C-alpha cells in the first residue's frame, strides 16, 4: 500500500506542474448502504454496511495533440469493515500515439471479454473483491502497453512489472469464508510480487453478410490473479487462510457476431498452472468456456424501450470450479428515457446441484444531471458442499447515490 501511496503523491505532483489550460478534471463522490437480510453465518459480521467513496479524475492533453496523461485515484471509507476501507490508483497512465501505433505507460486498467455472466479472458488486472463480489471491479496494474494497428488487425503487447494481491473482507465483512484470509501471501515466483508478467493480444473485425464479426486471441504468462488457499495453523488449530499465487501460462479467445437484433458471443481459455500440487492436493489445469446470446426486442411494449434476453452456458474442466456446469439466464431492460434508466437481472443455476444458484438485479437511473441512483439485489442459494455455500447467508440490498462534479 505504501508504494501506491507514493505513486499517488508523485502523480499528483506531476499533474500540478501541467499547464492549467490543458488540464481537465471531474469528481465522483458516492454514499453506499447495504442491508443484509439474513443473520450472519459467522461471528462478528455486520447486518448493515455504510461507506463513502471518492473518485477524482484528472486529464492533461499535450499541446502537440499526441499525448495524454490520465490520473484516477479511488478511495472508499467503510464504517463497518476496516479491510474494505482502502485506496488505490486506478489509473496514472501516459499515452502517446503517432500514425498506426500507440504507447501507454504507468498504471492502467484493461478489460478483455465479451460475455455477460463470466469474463474468462480478463487477466490483466487484479480483482478488487471488497468492492464487488461479482469480480468486475479491478485494481490498477503497472504496465507498459504497446498497440499497433494494421489491416490484419490490432496487435497489443504488455509488460506488467509488479503484482497486485487480491483484496479480501475482514472479520466484520460479508461475502467471505468462515476463516479469514491473511494479509500475508506467498508466491511461486522467486521474485514474488516483483515478477514481470507479459501478455499479447490480437483482435480483428470482419464482416459476414454485412454484419460485424469480432474476434481475438490472447496469451498471458505470469502470476495467476486467482490465488489458491492453504490453512494457517497455530498449534493444533486452523486459524485462517493464506493466499498462494502460482505461475501460469494461459491462452484464450473471444468471438462476437452481431446479426440484426442478436449478439452471439463466446470466450474460451486454457490455463497451464506451473505448480502440480498445493496443500496436499493436485492442481488441475483449466479448460473453460462461456458461450451464449443476447437478443434485443425494440419497443416490445409500444414505447422507446429495448428488452434484451440473455442466455449463457458456463463450463470448466476442474471439478471444484465455481462455473463447472452452469446456466445463466437474464434480461436487460433499457427505458431510453432522459434519466438513462435501465435494469439488468439474471440468475445463474448450477446444473449439477439443483439447490445452488445466484440471483442478482441491478438498476440505475439519473435523478438529476449530477446525481445517479443505483440499486443492487443479490441472493444466494447453495447446497452444503457447493462453492457458493460460504455466501448463502449474504443476501443483500444495496443502494448507492453518486454525485458528479
Amino acid at each position: 500500500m505504501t508504494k501506491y501511496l507514493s505513486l499517488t503523491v508523485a502523480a499528483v505532483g506531476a499533474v500540478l506542474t501541467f499547464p492549467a489550460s490543458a488540464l481537465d478534471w471531474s469528481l465522483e463522490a458516492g454514499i453506499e448502504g447495504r442491508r443484509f437480510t439474513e443473520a450472519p453465518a459467522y461471528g462478528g459480521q455486520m447486518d448493515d454496511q455504510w461507506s463513502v467513496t471518492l473518485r477524482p479524475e484528472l486529464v492533461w492533453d499535450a499541446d502537440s495533440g499526441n499525448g495524454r496523461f490520465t490520473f484516477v485515484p479511488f478511495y472508499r471509507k467503510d464504517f463497518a469493515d476496516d479491510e474494505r476501507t482502502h485506496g488505490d490508483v486506478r489509473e496514472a497512465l501516459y499515452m502517446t500515439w503517432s500514425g498506426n501505433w500507440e504507447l501507454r505507460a504507468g498504471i492502467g486498467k484493461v478489460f478483455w471479454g465479451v460475455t455477460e455472466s463470466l469474463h474468462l479472458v480478463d487477466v490483466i488486472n487484479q480483482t478488487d473483491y471488497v468492492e464487488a463480489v461479482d469480480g468486475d471491479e479491478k485494481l490498477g496494474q503497472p504496465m507498459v502497453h504497446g498497440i499497433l494497428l494494421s489491416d490484419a488487425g490490432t496487435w497489443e503487447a504488455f509488460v506488467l512489472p509488479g503484482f497486485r494481491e487480491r483484496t479480501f473482507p475482514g472479520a466484520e465483512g460479508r461475502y467471505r469464508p468462515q476463516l479469514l484470509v491473511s494479509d500475508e501471501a506467498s508466491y511461486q515466483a522467486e521474485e514474488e510480487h516483483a515478477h514481470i508478467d507479459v501478455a499479447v493480444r490480437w483482435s480483428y473485425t470482419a464482416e459476414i453478410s454485412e454484419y460485424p464479426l469480432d474476434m481475438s486471441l490472447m496469451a498471458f504468462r505470469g502470476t495467476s490473479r486467482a490465488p489458491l488457499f492453504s490453512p494457517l495453523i497455530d498449534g493444533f488449530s486452523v486459524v485462517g487462510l493464506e493466499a498462494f499465487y502460482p505461475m501460469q501460462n494461459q491462452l484464450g479467445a473471444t468471438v462476437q457476431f452481431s446479426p440484426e437484433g442478436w449478439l452471439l458471443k463466446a470466450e474460451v481459455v486454457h490455463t497451464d498452472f506451473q505448480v502440480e500440487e498445493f496443500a496436499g492436493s493436485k492442481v488441475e489445469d483449466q479448460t473453460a468456456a462461456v458461450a451464449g446470446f443476447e437478443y434485443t426486442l425494440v419497443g416490445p411494449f409500444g414505447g422507446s424501450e429495448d428488452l434484451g434476453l440473455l442466455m449463457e452456458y458456463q463450463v470448466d474442466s476442474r471439478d471444484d470450479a465455481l462455473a463447472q456446469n452452469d446456466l445463466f439466464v437474464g434480461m436487460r431492460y433499457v427505458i431510453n428515457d432522459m434519466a438513462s434508466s435501465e435494469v439488468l437481472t439474471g440468475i445463474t443455476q448450477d446444473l449439477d446441484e439443483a439447490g445452488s444458484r445466484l440471483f442478482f438485479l441491478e438498476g440505475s437511473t439519473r435523478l438529476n444531471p449530477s446525481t445517479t441512483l443505483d440499486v443492487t439485489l443479490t441472493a444466494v442459494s447453495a447446497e452444503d458442499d457447493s462453492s457458493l455455500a460460504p455466501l448463502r447467508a449474504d443476501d443483500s440490498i444495496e443502494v448507492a447515490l453518486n454525485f458528479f462534479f
Side-chain angles (χ1 to χ4, degrees), residues 72 74 86 88-91 108-112 119-129 131-132 134-141 164 166-167 225:
V72 185
F74 172 82
H86 69 300
D88 181 46
V89 179
R90 297 304 204 215
E91 287 189 38
K109 291 177 66 177
V110 173
F111 174 75
W112 294 345
H119 304 304
L120 293 172
V121 301
D122 192 29
V123 298
I124 296 296
N125 292 84
Q126 176 61 275
T127 296
D128 193 352
Y129 183 77
E131 278 300 301
D134 61 8
D136 284 348
E137 291 294 329
K138 302 292 183 177
L139 298 170
Q141 169 64 46
R164 306 295 311 278
R166 183 169 294 192
T167 57
R225 272 52 181 162

Side-chain angles (χ1 to χ4, degrees), residues 4-183:
Y4 288 97
L5 179 61
S6 300
L7 286 170
T8 302
V9 173
V12 171
V15 168
L16 292 177
T17 66
F18 295 154
S21 60
L23 190 63
D24 190 19
W25 70 274
S26 62
L27 173 65
E28 178 183 344
I31 302 173
E32 177 192 282
R34 286 175 172 174
R35 158 66 67 158
F36 292 91
T37 60
E38 298 187 39
Y42 314 118
Q45 291 183 300
M46 90 296 284
D47 291 321
D48 297 309
Q49 189 171 17
W50 291 90
S51 63
V52 294
T53 59
L54 289 174
R55 185 183 179 274
E57 179 173 347
L58 297 96
V59 179
W60 172 82
D61 288 302
D63 292 337
S64 60
N66 65 344
R68 169 175 289 187
F69 179 78
T70 304
F71 178 55
V72 185
F74 172 82
Y75 179 75
R76 179 182 294 276
K77 170 62 179 177
D78 193 291
F79 297 98
D81 183 4
D82 290 341
E83 291 297 322
R84 199 169 183 242
T85 294
H86 69 300
D88 181 46
V89 179
R90 297 304 204 215
E91 287 189 38
L93 198 66
Y94 179 73
M95 299 173 282
T96 185
W97 53 87
S98 178
N100 61 346
W101 64 267
E102 181 176 330
L103 181 65
R104 306 177 181 184
I107 298 173
K109 291 177 66 177
V110 173
F111 174 75
W112 294 345
V114 295
T115 52
E116 182 68 44
S117 61
L118 192 62
H119 304 304
L120 293 172
V121 301
D122 192 29
V123 298
I124 296 296
N125 292 84
Q126 176 61 275
T127 296
D128 193 352
Y129 183 77
V130 297
E131 278 300 301
V133 69
D134 61 8
D136 284 348
E137 291 294 329
K138 302 292 183 177
L139 298 170
Q141 169 64 46
M143 65 176 63
V144 178
H145 177 194
I147 303 172
L148 178 65
L149 306 176
S150 74
D151 292 338
T154 300
W155 307 83
E156 300 177 74
F158 296 81
V159 177
L160 308 169
F163 179 79
R164 306 295 311 278
E165 294 177 6
R166 183 169 294 192
T167 57
F168 296 101
E172 300 85 359
R174 292 291 193 115
Y175 305 121
R176 69 166 177 85
Q178 181 176 4
L179 297 173
L180 295 178
V181 180
S182 170
D183 290 335

Side-chain angles (χ1 to χ4, degrees), residues 287-345:
T287 300
V290 54
F293 68 84
E294 178 172 356
Y295 179 68
T296 300
L297 300 168
V298 178
F301 307 117
S304 60
E305 71 281 347
D306 295 329
L307 179 64
L309 306 176
L310 301 97
M311 181 180 291
E312 294 177 354
Y313 174 65
Q314 308 167 357
V315 63
D316 196 305
S317 61
R318 300 170 299 176
D319 293 335
D320 59 348
L322 188 60
Q324 189 264 343
N325 181 27
D326 294 1
L327 181 67
F328 167 79
V329 178
M331 178 188 72
R332 189 194 318 273
Y333 183 57
V334 182
I335 299 177
N336 290 318
D337 59 353
M338 294 295 292
S340 301
S341 305
E342 64 178 87
V343 175
L344 173 66
T345 185

Side-chain angles (χ1 to χ4, degrees), residues 199-216:
V200 293
R201 182 174 185 260
W202 168 82
S203 57
Y204 183 74
T205 299
E207 284 192 358
I208 297 180
S209 300
E210 299 183 352
Y211 296 114
L213 173 66
D214 300 307
M215 48 193 150
S216 72

